[in-house]
Amino acid sequence: MTAAPDWDAQAVHAELERVRRDFHQLLDAATGEDLARPTDGTRWTNEQLLFHMLFGYMLLWALLRLLRVFGRMPTGVSRTYGRLLSAATKPFDIVNYLGPCMAVHIYGHRRMGAKMDRVIASLHRRVEKETAAGLAQGMHYPARWDPFFTDYMTVADIYRYPARHYDFHRRQLTLGAGRN
């Protein structure tokens, strides 16, 4: 792998493992009562928010594919696409909320850990294949959709996105006797 100047593959690997271990610790310690409890600052339960946190990593593959396509096009194409998506923020917010509400009936907390393991393992393999040119590719994103999206993001930025998203939501969980 040819490294980009600000790219630290080992730091990305360490971050992926930190999140994977933490996610398992949260799932392993959570009781049924914990999972059903409302979170702090969201309309989700802890179980729904845990799925949303997992989904941030599942979404990474789609974001990378999207970036690979738009990163080869003129900048104006991705800028227009990003603006169109930003204009659709209200419908996105509804889908973003309802997705975890429904997904926990399919995944449940018991399957979430295994899914996180598979997603993280695939990301470890992908990180090893990145090149400086690939990491520098970028596109415009709907910055209004998530506080961790910026108007323009590179592949290297996208790899950093889900951990920031995870850590933000981790503070909203109300698991255990006290807050995490």
Side-chain angles (χ1 to χ4, degrees):
M1 179 173 103
T2 307
D6 63 344
W7 175 254
D8 183 351
Q10 292 310 319
V12 174
H13 287 301
E15 186 171 71
L16 290 169
E17 280 306 300
R18 173 189 63 83
V19 168
R20 189 187 67 75
R21 281 190 309 273
D22 183 67
F23 194 74
H24 277 282
Q25 288 171 349
L26 292 170
L27 289 174
D28 292 346
T31 66
E33 184 179 297
D34 288 335
L35 293 169
R37 187 177 302 125
T39 58
D40 183 11
T42 81
R43 296 184 299 164
W44 286 312
T45 65
N46 283 316
E47 185 175 27
Q48 292 163 344
L49 184 54
L50 283 164
F51 179 82
H52 179 75
M53 293 160 63
L54 163 62
F55 191 72
Y57 281 89
M58 293 166 61
L59 182 63
L60 187 56
W61 277 106
L63 294 174
L64 287 169
R65 282 189 209 104
L66 193 64
L67 193 148
R68 300 288 188 205
V69 171
F70 280 97
R72 291 182 174 94
M73 295 181 181
T75 303
V77 174
S78 77
R79 184 179 298 115
T80 301
Y81 185 70
R83 287 180 182 161
L84 286 171
L85 291 177
S86 282
T89 297
K90 292 286 185 196
F92 168 80
D93 288 343
I94 293 167
V95 171
N96 189 44
Y97 169 71
L98 292 175
C101 294
M102 293 182 287
V104 296
H105 298 291
I106 297 166
Y107 272 90
H109 68 282
R110 297 194 196 292
R111 293 180 57 203
M112 284 188 223
K115 181 64 173 179
M116 179 66 92
D117 289 343
R118 289 190 302 274
V119 170
I120 296 292
S122 69
L123 291 172
H124 279 303
R125 290 189 299 273
R126 185 66 224 162
V127 165
E128 285 305 309
K129 295 177 182 176
E130 291 295 352
T131 65
L135 290 165
Q137 268 190 310
M139 70 173 275
H140 291 272
Y141 278 87
R144 291 177 46 197
W145 280 20
D146 190 283
F148 304 109
F149 280 170
T150 58
D151 175 57
Y152 188 85
M153 297 175 75
T154 65
V155 169
D157 297 328
I158 292 298
Y159 274 113
R160 294 179 185 110
Y161 159 77
R164 295 174 69 205
H165 177 263
Y166 180 94
D167 291 340
F168 172 79
H169 286 303
R170 170 109 173 43
R171 292 186 291 275
Q172 295 176 313
L173 292 169
T174 57
L175 298 169
R179 291 204 44 194
N180 287 310

